[in-house]
Amino acid sequence: YGFLRQFNADGFLDNSFPIHSGDEIALQADGKILAASRTNDDFSFHETSLYRLHFNGLPDSTFGTNGKVIITSSGSPAGGAYSPFPAILPNDNILIGCSFSEPGATKLAFLKYDSSGVLDGAFGSNGIYVTDLEEWGINSLIVQPDGKILFSGSVIARFNPDGSLDTSFDTDGIVLPGFPTHLALQPDGKILAAGTENHDFALLRYNEDGSLDNDFGQNGLVKTDFNNGDDKANAIALQSDGKILVAGDSDGDFAIARYLSGLESGVFEKAETDMVSIQLFPNPANDFLTIGLPDNAHPSYLEILDASGRLVASQQYVKKLQISVRHLPSGYYTVRVADGQRVYIGKFIKQ
């Protein structure tokens, strides 16, 4: 089991934030924290639970019972579910990927909850969809902007929003990278998969259709060796400038590598050494947001990311410096604008 703690910006523990059990977390756009745990509060292994917390760590009483939903317990509809991995859907609905025990097999399953923590009866069978994919662990669960679901464990698979395999992804919905992977989704829709191959960090990039991107590394693969050590990659993230971070360990010591984005458009690679903060107003915003760019800027690409880093809006050509944010839910957002020479970054609050 794991613990959920919060750190201040200076790296010291925030002692005002209560300690919670938690194995996987996801952040809502409004800053609330969703935590999935394989243990209950007294750390006995009798239930799988989902918590929602305010930014200060206090339970959100509008979710479940006092901020908690029990996924697995005797008599619960998802009694065979364990190892939960949460992802945030539009309108703060929740998708849980999990291993699901059935007689003679353990399969990948999805559970869908509404924003109050109630299973969505219109999804699968009473909110639960058990796939045909046998799986014993989940490393990544990403909901794409189009609602499709990316999953990684021992394989990489993509599912339609209803839980069925997406056959437009490598013809059968499943890619076999040859080793367990952790995923990240680039703004252009390409998929990064980090794992370990022959004791080295291994980073793959796939096109949207599930084929390897041969323009990335050598035939879609980049390998990194730390001083001939036993290297294991177990996490991946994208920086706001598009660079790729892969973390793990080398001979038991923490190890991290950073890579250029490899975006085909080159927008963020060209700008990685020249980033400029911009003003956004009004801030907080309700309907429209004005972007304060310098007169010499020639923007060609704009994107908006929510508090969890998920891309929620983008456009290739920015013809005006005022954009509508009326459709966005309340929360914290980052705006990135590129003009081919630099990246302009600003943050705003949507009321």
Side-chain angles (χ1 to χ4, degrees):
Y1 55 85
F3 295 97
L4 176 61
R5 302 296 304 270
Q6 179 167 281
F7 291 81
N8 295 312
D10 58 9
F12 288 94
L13 273 173
D14 179 1
N15 291 319
S16 68
F17 190 90
I19 300 175
H20 297 277
S21 59
D23 297 286
E24 303 292 347
I25 66 170
L27 292 178
Q28 295 186 175
D30 60 4
K32 290 182 180 179
I33 304 162
L34 195 68
S37 173
R38 292 189 289 269
T39 174
N40 60 16
D41 288 335
D42 62 4
F43 303 108
S44 60
F45 291 83
H46 298 309
E47 65 183 38
T48 300
S49 303
L50 190 62
Y51 303 83
R52 192 165 69 194
L53 309 170
H54 294 289
F55 69 92
N56 59 5
L58 296 179
D60 178 6
S61 60
T62 66
F63 182 76
T65 302
N66 297 322
K68 177 181 177 180
V69 169
I70 297 176
I71 298 174
T72 301
S73 65
S74 59
S76 73
Y82 61 95
S83 298
F85 204 111
I88 307 299
L89 297 168
N91 300 318
D92 290 335
N93 291 334
I94 299 160
L95 183 73
I96 299 293
C98 60
S99 300
F100 197 94
S101 294
E102 291 190 327
T106 298
K107 295 185 177 180
L108 174 69
F110 298 114
L111 286 66
K112 186 178 179 182
Y113 294 86
D114 66 18
S115 60
S116 67
V118 176
L119 280 168
D120 180 358
F123 180 79
S125 176
N126 298 317
I128 304 169
Y129 187 96
V130 181
T131 75
D132 292 328
L133 183 64
E134 292 194 15
E135 185 57 51
W136 294 270
I138 300 175
N139 292 335
S140 298
L141 188 68
I142 298 173
V143 179
Q144 296 184 170
D146 61 2
K148 292 184 178 181
I149 305 160
L150 274 172
F151 155 86
S152 75
S154 58
V155 302
I156 299 171
R158 191 166 70 194
F159 299 86
N160 295 308
D162 65 359
S164 61
L165 278 167
D166 175 15
T167 55
S168 70
F169 186 71
D170 199 43
T171 71
D172 62 357
I174 299 172
V175 168
L176 303 174
F179 46 84
T181 58
H182 302 258
L183 302 182
L185 186 65
Q186 290 193 167
D188 59 356
K190 293 186 177 182
I191 302 158
L192 294 163
T196 305
E197 185 180 50
N198 296 327
H199 307 285
D200 293 329
F201 278 21
L203 180 62
L204 296 159
R205 194 172 80 167
Y206 293 92
N207 297 308
E208 291 183 76
D209 63 2
S211 62
L212 277 170
D213 180 6
N214 292 324
D215 293 329
F216 184 79
Q218 294 184 346
N219 299 318
L221 172 66
V222 176
K223 297 187 70 174
T224 303
D225 174 55
F226 292 85
N227 299 318
N228 296 314
D230 183 13
D231 310 322
K232 302 180 182 70
N234 51 38
I236 183 171
L238 295 179
Q239 294 185 173
S240 59
D241 59 3
K243 289 181 181 178
I244 305 158
L245 290 172
V246 177
D249 70 87
S250 177
D251 290 333
D253 294 324
F254 177 73
I256 188 167
R258 189 168 71 180
Y259 307 86
L260 298 180
S261 69
L263 288 171
E264 185 178 359
S265 65
V267 170
F268 293 112
E269 287 183 2
K270 292 179 181 178
E272 284 175 7
T273 59
D274 192 1
M275 301 185 65
V276 181
S277 296
I278 55 173
Q279 289 188 339
L280 306 173
F281 51 91
N283 195 354
N286 286 311
D287 297 322
F288 291 93
L289 185 71
T290 299
I291 302 171
L293 290 174
D295 293 337
N296 62 349
H298 301 285
S300 60
Y301 182 81
L302 176 146
E303 63 184 19
I304 301 176
L305 298 91
D306 65 19
S308 66
R310 182 167 59 97
L311 184 69
V312 294
S314 66
Q315 60 186 79
Q316 282 298 123
Y317 301 99
V318 184
K319 296 182 179 179
K320 56 185 179 180
L321 301 182
Q322 189 179 70
I323 57 173
S324 173
V325 295
R326 185 181 294 119
H327 64 290
L328 296 176
S330 299
Y332 296 87
Y333 294 89
T334 298
V335 173
R336 301 194 302 197
V337 183
D339 70 355
Q341 299 297 321
R342 57 192 61 83
V343 174
Y344 302 93
I345 295 182
K347 297 181 182 293
F348 74 98
I349 299 172
K350 169 62 168 51
Q351 287 185 333

